[in-house]
Amino acid sequence: MDNLQFKINELIEEGKTDHEIAEIISSEEDAKCLDAKEVAAKIFEAKKVFEAKKALMNLEKEKECVKAKESEKKLFEDSVKSEVEKHLKAININPTTQFGNHVVDKRWDYSKGKMVNIDPVKEEHKLVFNKLLKCMANNDTSNAFAISREIDQHNTKATIRSDSDSVGGYAVPTEVAEEIMQLTHEQSILLPKVNRDVIIVEDKIYPTIGDITVDYIANQDTATAESSPRFNNPTVNMERIGAHTNISNEIIRQKGADITNAFTIAYGSANARFVDAHLVIGNITGNSDLIDGLVWQGSTTGLTAVTEAAFSDATITNMIVQMDKEFDPSRTVWIGNHTVRNLIGTLVTDGGQQLFPQYMSGGLITPLGFEFVLNPYITDILQISEDDSTGGTDKALILCDLSKFVVGLDGELRLDTSVDFNFTKDLTTFRGIQKIGFKLLFSDLCQVQEIN
């Protein structure tokens, strides 16, 4: 570096301005042979080098600062981790084995009427199903198949399976089926009140024993009373129920995840409606149903018909009298539709006073202390004496000890999807299949009053 350049660098480091540097350098002996442009070029080049060095120094400082902060953060995290582990150890908790990679099955327990050992149903399961539906709607079979395989692999880890083996079918997340089962229970009128059991075979036998006589023993030479009780083996026969529905592929493309929500809610409601109707007025003889409901079950007592005009408080009192003396009052309920409820709610005494004055203001009625369960799915077109659920004008009032009424479910709702069933109509088909059975186990614990 020449003397002139060295002098320029000194002046720059001292903080001199460009004019000051130019004035000082111009008076230097070495600069007398240079014109003004050459002097300016030397100053400019020196300042450029100086600024570059300054920028590099700033970058180095920033890196050192970041490094210091990261080191400080790590020290803090290590300190917190050490304290947490110390406290967990003090209360005997190992987060690695007790909470790490913890997979909980998602299962609706019909017998308990609640989810057991379950995490909340996650939104991502619906979103995965939605992605599958979009691929199906767009005929993207390769991606649809890949997503279906992923869903199927997840399903195999769960307690039940809800995959499809039909042609053109794709797997449905187990969580979707579980949510439908939960919605069925929540929206059903009768399911929460009956004696529920999960039946995973074709049917189940419930052994029951008739009356046994217990009597005093006068002395040591007196024999105990001899009984010849009847052994009954009522069987809950399981029958398949199901439905299928079609959804436009265009709607699937437009609506996205709303389709999954709409389907689960709609199917859950449909299941609940079916259960509430058929548990009471299912009919084999006249309507070709596969199971008789409470009105026509063999253990149900059918009382002599009365007209609406003759229906009185004596009618409902008589139903209580006809019940077996060992019925469970806490599980015994009246069951009827709006017409029958209105008939009871507007009953009057011989003096013209209302028996249930709170009824007209929307209050609850509990005839003779028993809950009235309103079931709007019981129709007014029954032919009770003729063993037919259609074609008549009969109404039904039921009084039943529901603890003796068993409803069996197989614990599985099998959902299938297909793009082939309605291929020419550009529709995707959903199909659901499960099993149900129900049986009244004892006689004289359910009374049916025919009203015509």
Side-chain angles (χ1 to χ4, degrees):
M1 181 185 298
D2 57 31
N3 292 333
L4 189 61
Q5 193 69 53
F6 182 80
K7 183 66 175 179
I8 293 173
N9 291 342
E10 278 187 338
L11 294 173
I12 292 173
E13 289 177 1
E14 289 174 5
K16 301 292 185 181
T17 65
D18 292 348
H19 292 289
E20 290 173 333
I21 295 172
E23 185 177 349
I24 295 171
I25 293 301
S26 298
S27 62
E28 290 289 322
E29 188 68 28
D30 293 339
K32 290 181 179 180
C33 61
L34 301 175
D35 59 26
K37 287 185 178 181
E38 289 174 325
V39 172
K42 282 183 174 290
I43 296 172
F44 178 79
E45 187 66 28
K47 289 200 68 174
K48 182 178 178 181
V49 173
F50 177 80
E51 293 296 334
K53 288 181 178 179
K54 187 177 178 181
L56 287 172
M57 289 175 63
N58 289 335
L59 285 175
E60 289 295 330
K61 287 180 180 180
E62 288 178 5
K63 286 182 179 180
E64 290 295 328
C65 184
V66 169
K67 191 174 180 181
K69 287 182 178 180
E70 288 179 348
S71 178
E72 184 179 347
K73 181 181 177 182
K74 187 175 185 308
L75 287 173
F76 175 75
E77 289 176 347
D78 290 344
S79 175
V80 171
K81 182 179 178 182
S82 176
E83 287 297 315
V84 170
E85 288 178 349
K86 185 190 300 182
H87 286 288
L88 289 176
K89 187 176 181 181
I91 58 176
N92 198 26
I93 289 180
N94 187 333
T96 304
T97 58
Q98 289 181 253
F99 302 106
N101 299 320
H102 188 50
V103 178
V104 182
D105 287 341
K106 296 166 177 58
R107 181 165 180 77
W108 175 257
D109 190 325
Y110 262 122
S111 61
K112 295 181 180 178
K114 63 180 182 180
M115 289 287 189
V116 292
N117 295 330
I118 178 165
D119 289 333
V121 177
K122 296 179 180 177
E123 192 66 24
E124 55 258 34
H125 295 127
K126 296 178 184 178
L127 296 178
V128 169
F129 190 35
N130 175 54
K131 287 172 61 179
L132 170 67
L133 294 179
K134 283 192 172 182
C135 289
M136 293 164 63
N138 290 299
N139 293 321
D140 186 358
T141 54
S142 59
N143 279 326
F145 181 73
I147 296 172
S148 177
R149 288 292 299 274
E150 289 179 9
I151 294 173
D152 186 47
Q153 289 172 5
H154 174 80
N155 288 344
T156 58
K157 298 176 184 177
T159 309
I160 65 171
R161 292 287 298 277
S162 58
D163 55 323
S164 168
D165 55 6
S166 60
V167 175
Y170 296 90
V172 177
T174 299
E175 290 78 11
V176 175
E178 293 288 354
E179 188 168 13
I180 290 174
M181 293 164 73
Q182 181 179 359
L183 288 171
T184 298
H185 184 274
E186 290 176 350
Q187 297 185 33
S188 171
I189 298 163
L190 292 177
L191 263 185
K193 300 178 181 297
V194 300
N195 190 359
R196 300 176 300 274
D197 196 3
V198 177
I199 300 176
I200 57 176
V201 292
E202 289 302 313
D203 50 58
K204 185 171 182 178
I205 297 174
Y206 290 82
T208 61
I209 302 176
D211 293 337
I212 295 178
T213 302
V214 177
D215 205 350
Y216 285 111
I217 302 174
N219 52 54
Q220 293 182 359
D221 292 329
T222 302
T224 57
E226 182 178 359
S227 300
S228 299
R230 300 187 314 275
F231 280 82
N232 300 316
N233 294 298
T235 301
V236 176
N237 296 314
M238 303 298 290
E239 302 291 349
R240 292 194 306 161
I241 61 173
H244 75 268
T245 185
N246 302 311
I247 299 178
S248 164
N249 289 332
E250 192 62 33
I251 292 177
I252 292 175
R253 294 188 192 98
Q254 294 173 358
K255 296 297 182 181
D258 290 343
I259 291 296
T260 306
N261 290 328
F263 175 72
T264 54
I265 292 171
Y267 204 101
S269 297
N271 251 1
R273 290 194 301 270
F274 179 92
V275 168
D276 288 334
H278 283 260
L279 290 186
V280 182
I281 59 171
N283 181 267
I284 297 174
T285 303
N287 200 48
S288 301
D289 295 326
L290 298 183
I291 307 175
D292 277 330
L294 280 173
V295 172
W296 290 284
Q297 289 248 330
S299 299
T300 298
T301 303
L303 303 177
T304 303
V306 299
T307 63
E308 289 190 35
F311 188 89
S312 67
D313 57 339
T315 306
I316 58 178
T317 302
N318 180 60
M319 295 180 70
I320 294 287
V321 172
Q322 299 300 321
M323 291 284 282
D324 186 284
K325 58 183 176 294
E326 294 186 2
F327 76 92
D328 182 354
S330 66
R331 298 288 300 277
T332 299
V333 299
W334 304 96
I335 305 172
N337 62 12
H338 285 285
T339 304
V340 173
R341 184 172 181 268
N342 185 60
L343 195 61
I344 296 175
T346 55
L347 284 174
V348 295
T349 65
D350 292 338
Q353 293 181 324
Q354 285 191 312
L355 288 176
F356 304 100
Q358 76 277 15
Y359 174 70
M360 299 306 292
S361 61
L364 299 175
I365 58 173
T366 55
L368 302 178
F370 301 103
E371 177 188 2
F372 187 97
V373 177
L374 177 63
N375 187 338
Y377 305 111
I378 302 174
T379 65
D380 286 341
I381 57 171
L382 308 176
Q383 297 185 71
I384 296 176
S385 300
E386 292 80 8
D387 197 0
D388 196 342
S389 61
T390 60
T393 57
D394 295 344
K395 294 90 179 168
L397 172 63
I398 299 101
L399 179 66
C400 186
D401 178 356
L402 293 182
S403 69
K404 310 305 188 297
F405 185 46
V406 174
V407 178
L409 300 118
D410 62 358
E412 175 182 351
L413 170 62
R414 181 161 56 87
L415 289 177
D416 300 326
T417 59
S418 177
V419 292
D420 290 350
F421 184 70
N422 276 294
F423 174 75
T424 58
K425 298 179 182 178
D426 194 25
L427 299 172
T428 293
T429 301
F430 292 81
R431 181 187 68 190
I433 296 175
Q434 63 183 138
K435 287 184 178 181
I436 190 172
F438 36 93
K439 189 80 171 182
L440 183 64
L441 300 182
F442 293 89
S443 300
D444 301 324
L445 288 172
C446 184
Q447 314 292 320
V448 175
Q449 178 64 65
E450 177 182 344
I451 307 169
N452 50 40

